[in-house]
């Protein structure tokens, strides 16, 4: 099995990559920062020395970088069995107060990166009539909230992308899930006053993704919504 996880140097992406490697998947990961990326590669490889782990430095907010990444993946893997579109930026703020250009920046990373990468990897999946695509959405994809701003706009868009993709790929036997975690204990919450015991561990998101993938090939979990037991923070 071959898996691709974007934004996998930390947090949910790293947890997913580690779980998939543990389960026997060859893994390709990407992130912007070389040092964190290499640290993640070493940790993922340690989970299962028998699998291959590829780590590539990519700015997922740059279309040319995304397409170059896809071209490398198409050379490495004959086809991708699992694609996890996880790359994203969390920036809270009110629409009328946030910096000019923030919407464009967040759209590029949170939405366009998934669109471009998925399109580039789909031909091989379609040819094989198999594959599973997970799009990491958010509880912010489902409802408006205070200081959601451009982040919430992009996460609504990503869920729409996931729903449309699911419909389009039905005839090709390719499964698609929109995964929407609530507050998860990752670096995205650094600097915020959020009690760790109120937040979900990223390993739980990885477990849910693996469980969905492990279902019978004729079964798909279209949308997964996860929240801390006490609710959002």
């Amino acid at each position: 099995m071959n898996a691709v996880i974007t934004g996998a140097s930390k947090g949910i992406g790293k947890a997913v990559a580690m779980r998939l490697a543990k389960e026997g998947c060859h893994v390709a990961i990407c992130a912007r920062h070389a040092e964190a990326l290499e640290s993640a590669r070493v940790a993922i490889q340690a989970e299962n020395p028998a699998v291959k782990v590829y780590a590539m430095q990519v700015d997922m907010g740059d279309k040319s970088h995304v397409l170059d990444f896809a071209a490398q993946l198409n050379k490495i893997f004959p086809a991708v069995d699992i694609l996890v579109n996880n790359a994203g930026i969390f920036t809270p703020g009110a629409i009328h107060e946030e910096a000019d250009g923030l919407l464009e920046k967040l759209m590029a990373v949170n939405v366009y990166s998934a669109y471009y990468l998925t399109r580039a990897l789909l031909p091989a999946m379609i040819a094989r009539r198999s594959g599973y695509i997970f799009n990491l959405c958010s509880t912010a994809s489902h409802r408006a909230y205070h200081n959601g701003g451009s982040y919430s706009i992009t996460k609504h868009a990503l869920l729409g992308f996931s729903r449309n993709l699911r419909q389009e790929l039905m005839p090709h036997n390719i499964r698609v899930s929109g995964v929407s975690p609530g507050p998860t204990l990752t670096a995205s919450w650094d600097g915020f006053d959020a009690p760790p015991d109120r937040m979900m561990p990223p390993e739980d998101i990885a477990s849910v993704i693996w469980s969905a993938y492990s279902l019978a090939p004729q079964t798909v979990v279209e949308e997964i919504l996860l929240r801390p037991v006490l609710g959002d923070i």
Side-chain angles (χ1 to χ4, degrees), residues 39-52:
S39 176
R41 185 196 66 78
V42 171
I44 295 163
Q45 188 69 78
E47 280 292 316
N48 189 346
V51 303
K52 295 179 181 178

Side-chain angles (χ1 to χ4, degrees), residues 88-128:
I89 301 174
F90 171 57
T91 305
I95 290 171
H96 68 287
E97 295 175 339
E98 60 191 18
D100 183 47
L102 182 64
L103 177 61
E104 291 85 348
K105 178 182 178 181
L106 296 189
M107 283 295 293
V109 178
N110 296 358
V111 182
Y112 296 160
S113 68
Y115 174 84
Y116 295 134
L117 183 59
T118 301
R119 277 170 50 90
L121 299 181
L122 269 178
M125 288 186 183
I126 290 172
R128 291 181 61 186

Side-chain angles (χ1 to χ4, degrees), residues 143-209:
R143 66 175 180 86
Y145 66 98
H146 182 67
N147 272 341
S150 287
Y151 175 76
S152 184
I153 292 171
T154 63
K155 287 301 183 178
H156 273 78
L158 186 62
L159 181 59
F161 166 69
S162 189
R163 288 172 172 171
N164 205 74
L165 194 65
R166 156 69 179 140
Q167 197 69 27
E168 291 182 4
L169 294 180
M170 275 185 193
H172 302 289
N173 205 45
I174 296 169
R175 297 185 285 174
V176 179
S177 291
V179 183
S180 298
T184 307
L185 192 57
T186 68
S188 294
W189 286 86
D190 288 352
F192 292 92
D193 185 19
D197 60 352
R198 277 289 316 279
M199 306 176 81
M200 300 180 294
E203 292 77 14
D204 280 2
I205 315 305
S207 293
V208 166
I209 287 175

Side-chain angles (χ1 to χ4, degrees), residues 19-123:
R19 178 59 183 268
L20 295 182
K22 182 179 179 180
E23 298 292 347
C25 294
H26 302 299
V27 171
I29 63 171
C30 72
R32 285 181 300 164
H33 302 296
E35 187 175 339
L37 184 64
E38 175 59 16
S39 176
R41 185 196 66 78
V42 171
I44 295 163
Q45 188 69 78
E47 280 292 316
N48 189 346
V51 303
K52 295 179 181 178
V53 180
Y54 304 92
M56 303 173 213
Q57 189 174 6
V58 181
D59 179 356
M60 294 300 287
D62 186 318
K63 180 180 178 180
S64 65
H65 285 212
V66 176
L67 295 181
D68 286 346
F69 178 49
Q72 293 180 68
L73 293 171
N74 282 325
K75 291 177 181 177
I76 292 169
F77 296 140
V80 173
D81 299 290
I82 304 172
L83 169 60
V84 182
N85 288 310
N86 171 71
I89 301 174
F90 171 57
T91 305
I95 290 171
H96 68 287
E97 295 175 339
E98 60 191 18
D100 183 47
L102 182 64
L103 177 61
E104 291 85 348
K105 178 182 178 181
L106 296 189
M107 283 295 293
V109 178
N110 296 358
V111 182
Y112 296 160
S113 68
Y115 174 84
Y116 295 134
L117 183 59
T118 301
R119 277 170 50 90
L121 299 181
L122 269 178

